[in-house]
Amino acid sequence: MTTLNRRTLLGSTAAVGTSLAFGSAPALASPSRLAPGLIRSGRPVLTHGIQAGDAVHGAATLWSRADGPARLVAEISRDDSFRHARTVLGPVVRANSDFTGQIRVPGLPSGTDLFYRITAVPEHGHGAVSEPLTGRFRTGATGRKDIRFIWSGDIAGQGYGVNPDLGGYRIADAMRAADADFFLSSGDNCYSDGPVVESVTLPDGRIWRNLVTEEKSQVAQTLDQYRGQFKYNLLADNWRAFLSETAIVAQWDDHEVLNNWYPGEILVGRAGFADGTAVDPLAARARRAFHEYIPVGDASPDSLGRVYRKLSYGPLMDLFILDMRTYKDPNTTDVETVDDGGILGREQTEWFLREIKRSTATWKVIANDLPLGLVVPDGTHQESISQGDGGAPLGREIALGKLLTELKRAGIRNHVWLTADVHYTAAHHYSPDRATYQDFDEFWEFVSGPLNAGAFGPNALDATFGPEAVFVAAPPRASASPLEGYQFFGQVDIDARSQQLTVTLKDVDGKALFTKTLDPARR
């Protein structure tokens, strides 16, 4: 057991978030090397693992959670010995953040594997510190260097939660083995409206077992219940291990709040909710829990906590993370003939077009949490951008058509779209030669998921923008369990020499199902 001198702690608080060169004197003595002393009861404990997020632009955001008031301290090193580690003081975590905290660490070398460990120390500097938790992450490159990342979404849905028989989430081991630069989490980071029970009997007689918590036993409505959805995923041992070794880049979709929600919605006939419940307060609580439990950097231009942002990975790739939920208009039959900005909103659309036109990266990878051409019904209305009409753009398609046309006129052809949401995997090629609306350049959209949820699909494609399903892998029946294998993630590799971008769609065990290599278009 070790102790932390209160004077040392309080005298070093100015070092929070500051950049210290590797090998230089740390701002705070390493907690693992502090001198022994008196030990108080109630030694802090880090309860839900560690994470690194948005590890790009020479910085990263580190995350952990303590079991009570404490200060988080991070150490970062080029090797796992931590002999020449930087130490950065993080925040004092308290009940107002559910004892979660994030430490923004600037001044990191680019394109480098770094080791980190986080320790919780007593709030006032007296007593024993926690056992440290150790992980690693890879910073984004600024020069021309190979890039690899993986993406997927949709976790703990349809009653399939953390299964202790599988170490938590079956897919986590294959994703960890991919050794990716980062993991793009494409939304539905939890199922706040999807309670779990201890066991589910599958059609073939097998039993799916779930860990169950109080918060995960009911639909989320309070702030603590929303927090409990994010905490629940971190009970999965292999998922915590994966997140401790792979930086996350997260966006959100609907199930962080409620299935198919939109701003201003008033709930009627929703199981677990009183008629007349307003969605906006629920979304505010869910957004707070999202930001408390997932490390998101400060690259977003939005001051209200929305998650759209651009992350640059050197000359080969810019990643655009969209928010297709916060600005979404009400779900209707989606056949309106006037553009109301119904999926991205005016502010985000202007930001996206401005930033993508400024981009000099070879590839513009766009993370869209809703698929572009798939029809996703919401009862008699439409949750999706497309509605299946197949003719001239209507409803939300109007804004999408304008955006695609603007990309064409700006000469931006190397854009690739990545999504999840529909619980199967597919490769869609969009071509004006097949389309009703033809004022755009051809492009690809790749779909992958779920991470751990019921599998569905395939959905119908709307012909307006000429999509072709070049590849599809979907279950033979709806809501197939993860034990049946229809869980998917995608992998993107960009070769520094050829500048080719290769997408590989993989199954739950990491087996490659489909591969497509794209050559950069030049103008």
Side-chain angles (χ1 to χ4, degrees):
M1 302 266 186
T2 53
T3 60
L4 182 66
N5 180 277
R6 181 173 181 271
R7 182 175 297 174
T8 302
L9 173 65
L10 297 179
S12 302
T13 55
V16 175
T18 59
S19 174
L20 301 174
F22 283 93
S24 67
L28 176 68
S30 167
S32 60
R33 298 192 294 270
L34 293 168
L38 295 176
I39 301 169
R40 68 178 176 93
S41 61
R43 180 183 190 183
V45 175
L46 297 176
T47 60
H48 289 76
I50 56 176
Q51 300 177 60
D54 286 11
V56 69
H57 305 161
T61 299
L62 307 181
W63 175 95
S64 194
R65 179 184 186 274
D67 63 343
R71 184 182 292 280
L72 300 183
V73 180
E75 299 169 86
I76 305 96
S77 173
R78 291 181 183 267
D79 61 71
D80 59 4
S81 73
F82 289 89
R83 283 190 299 268
H84 300 290
R86 289 174 49 187
T87 304
V88 181
L89 288 176
V92 172
V93 297
R94 296 191 174 93
N96 63 349
S97 67
D98 201 25
F99 306 109
T100 65
Q102 300 185 20
I103 309 170
R104 188 66 175 166
V105 184
L108 299 177
S110 66
T112 303
D113 282 0
L114 296 173
F115 294 85
Y116 72 106
R117 62 187 175 198
I118 296 179
T119 305
V121 304
E123 178 181 5
H124 300 295
H126 296 294
V129 305
S130 75
E131 289 288 346
L133 296 181
T134 302
R136 65 179 174 85
F137 63 91
R138 185 173 300 142
T139 54
T142 55
R144 189 175 298 277
K145 191 171 184 179
D146 291 350
I147 296 172
R148 167 176 291 181
F149 69 94
I150 56 179
W151 91 94
S152 188
D154 317 302
I155 194 164
Q158 288 70 52
Y160 301 114
V162 176
N163 189 330
D165 299 333
L166 304 174
Y169 294 135
R170 180 180 172 187
I171 203 168
D173 297 322
M175 294 172 66
R176 187 180 180 189
D179 190 27
D181 298 346
F182 64 91
F183 163 51
L184 170 62
S185 183
S186 300
D188 293 344
N189 294 274
C190 61
Y191 266 67
S192 296
D193 56 345
V196 298
V197 295
E198 289 185 359
S199 63
V200 179
T201 302
L202 305 179
D204 61 5
R206 288 184 293 176
I207 302 297
W208 175 275
R209 293 204 305 132
N210 288 311
L211 295 181
V212 179
T213 65
E214 180 181 351
E215 297 94 341
K216 196 61 181 168
S217 301
Q218 56 195 312
V219 297
Q221 298 190 60
T222 69
L223 175 58
D224 282 342
Q225 288 169 342
Y226 279 111
R227 287 165 167 168
Q229 309 304 309
F230 292 92
K231 276 192 278 195
Y232 180 77
N233 291 337
L234 299 174
L235 299 178
D237 294 340
N238 54 7
W239 191 246
R240 286 198 316 278
F242 166 67
L243 291 177
S244 74
E245 295 183 359
T246 310
I248 187 172
V249 173
Q251 63 187 147
W252 78 339
D253 191 31
D254 57 336
H255 285 286
E256 288 85 356
V257 181
L258 177 72
N259 186 44
N260 295 350
W261 74 277
Y262 52 84
E265 183 178 8
I266 303 298
L267 300 180
V268 176
R270 291 284 192 118
F273 295 90
D275 286 352
T277 297
V279 165
D280 287 353
L282 302 180
R285 294 166 198 150
R287 180 181 292 111
R288 177 171 172 177
F290 174 93
H291 283 286
E292 286 175 345
Y293 274 87
I294 298 179
V296 177
D298 55 6
S300 175
D302 190 281
S303 61
L304 299 179
R306 302 179 181 103
V307 297
Y308 68 84
R309 59 202 187 277
K310 182 187 83 170
L311 303 179
S312 297
Y313 294 83
L316 292 178
M317 184 182 77
D318 281 344
L319 176 63
F320 298 84
I321 299 102
L322 301 182
D323 180 353
M324 304 176 98
R325 186 59 52 179
T326 305
Y327 294 95
K328 196 169 186 280
D329 63 353
N331 291 346
T332 66
T333 54
D334 202 33
V335 293
E336 297 84 1
T337 58
V338 178
D339 175 21
D340 61 0
I343 200 67
L344 294 179
R346 179 187 58 80
E347 178 183 341
Q348 184 177 191
T349 299
E350 291 176 354
W351 163 84
F352 173 72
L353 288 173
R354 180 175 65 250
E355 292 300 322
I356 201 168
K357 289 176 182 178
R358 289 175 177 172
S359 172
T360 59
T362 303
W363 293 100
K364 286 77 169 164
V365 176
I366 303 164
N368 49 306
D369 50 292
L370 284 173
L372 301 181
L374 289 173
V375 180
V376 183
D378 180 21
T380 59
H381 291 166
Q382 295 298 328
E383 151 76 356
S384 50
I385 299 172
S386 300
Q387 73 296 100
D389 174 85
L394 295 171
R396 295 165 181 152
E397 292 173 332
I398 297 172
L400 176 59
K402 290 179 179 179
L403 187 149
L404 294 176
T405 296
E406 192 69 21
L407 295 181
K408 174 186 175 181
R409 292 176 179 173
I412 299 169
R413 299 188 62 192
N414 296 331
H415 54 95
V416 176
W417 300 66
L418 303 179
T419 189
D421 187 60
V422 288
H423 296 223
Y424 65 95
T425 192
H428 299 154
H429 179 248
Y430 291 77
S431 172
D433 297 337
R434 295 185 296 267
T436 306
Y437 181 85
Q438 297 181 315
D439 194 10
F440 68 96
D441 288 324
E442 66 173 337
F443 66 94
W444 285 83
E445 176 189 51
F446 297 93
V447 185
S448 210
L451 287 163
N452 192 92
F456 293 87
N459 291 44
L461 280 166
D462 186 303
T464 298
F465 300 107
E468 177 188 3
V470 177
F471 173 81
V472 174
R477 64 177 187 85
S479 199
S481 86
L483 289 181
E484 297 176 60
Y486 294 95
Q487 313 286 292
F488 306 100
F489 68 98
Q491 178 175 304
V492 176
D493 290 278
I494 302 178
D495 182 79
R497 184 182 60 82
S498 68
Q499 301 184 59
Q500 291 178 322
L501 182 149
T502 299
V503 176
T504 305
L505 303 179
K506 295 187 171 186
D507 70 7
V508 68
D509 297 315
K511 177 184 176 182
L513 304 176
F514 173 83
T515 299
K516 179 64 180 180
T517 296
L518 304 176
D519 292 309
R522 304 182 189 280
R523 283 191 173 180

